[in-house]
Amino acid sequence: TGAGNSARVVLTWGASPSDLDSHLTGPIVGSSDRSWVYWSGRGECDLSPFACLDLDDTNGFGPETITISQVQPGVYRYSVYDYTNRNNPSSTALSTSGAQVKFYVGDALVNTFFVPSGAGNAWAVFEWNGSSLTVFNQLYGISGVPRPSLIDPSGSGRVEEEMRRLLGLQHAKPPR
């Protein structure tokens, strides 16, 4: 699988917690910056970064699907954040949510990830460089303002550090 192919990441979960969020970071052609697709920045499938989120499900179950319409050279990282328990880094709600992530390249199911047990309101799921998949499948906690961390343009940094920095930048969701 090389540049030009498509991929999808599909998140589903149970009734509780009601608001899990898909987060994908990825390369931007011609830039050392990285794209970030999530509920407040749903991306673009027809333009750079060629990745987009279909919807932000805040009532449980999902699915939330992020589509990479044109795979770009570089590393993509996918995480799930328990927005419902964003102020409780030791919550076990994410681990008991029944969350699963299905990763497709083209129409082929490449892998299914099941949320691990334990404490944490964030789940580092995987990174993918267009051909090889690196599985993280680890929970971790984010509280208050995450410790600062720069995104590593080379793609060698850990997904947890990248998510901590990005989630520290996000604003609260408007009431529904």
Side-chain angles (χ1 to χ4, degrees):
T1 54
N5 291 328
S6 64
R8 283 180 297 131
V9 188
V10 182
L11 168 66
T12 56
W13 67 99
S16 179
S18 61
D19 193 357
L20 296 186
D21 288 332
S22 295
H23 289 264
L24 180 78
T25 62
I28 300 174
V29 172
S31 174
S32 63
D33 292 337
R34 290 179 55 75
S35 64
W36 179 24
V37 175
Y38 71 114
W39 65 267
S40 181
R42 294 195 186 176
E44 291 282 346
C45 272
D46 298 329
L47 307 166
S48 183
F50 301 102
C52 58
L53 171 67
D54 64 343
L55 63 92
D56 175 28
D57 186 325
T58 61
N59 300 312
F61 302 103
E64 283 192 12
T65 301
I66 292 181
T67 300
I68 303 168
S69 60
Q70 294 178 29
V71 177
Q72 303 299 315
V75 174
Y76 292 89
R77 294 192 188 98
Y78 181 80
S79 292
V80 174
Y81 184 54
D82 178 358
Y83 191 87
T84 301
N85 292 287
R86 63 192 173 279
N87 296 319
N88 183 2
S90 59
S91 171
T92 58
L94 178 53
S95 75
T96 60
S97 68
Q100 63 176 282
V101 169
K102 292 188 176 195
F103 177 55
Y104 298 86
V105 175
D107 293 328
L109 177 62
V110 172
N111 207 331
T112 301
F113 303 90
F114 299 94
V115 66
S117 59
N121 57 3
W123 173 24
V125 184
F126 68 85
E127 72 177 27
W128 179 64
N129 67 6
S131 57
S132 67
L133 186 68
T134 302
V135 175
F136 294 116
N137 207 37
Q138 294 177 339
L139 292 175
Y140 59 99
I142 296 175
S143 64
V145 177
R147 65 179 181 259
S149 171
L150 296 175
I151 296 176
D152 177 0
S154 72
S156 63
R158 294 187 56 215
V159 68
E160 176 178 343
E161 289 305 308
E162 184 172 74
M163 288 306 298
R164 284 180 187 277
R165 188 187 81 74
L166 292 173
L167 292 171
L169 299 176
Q170 84 174 352
H171 52 282
K173 291 186 181 185
R176 297 188 182 249

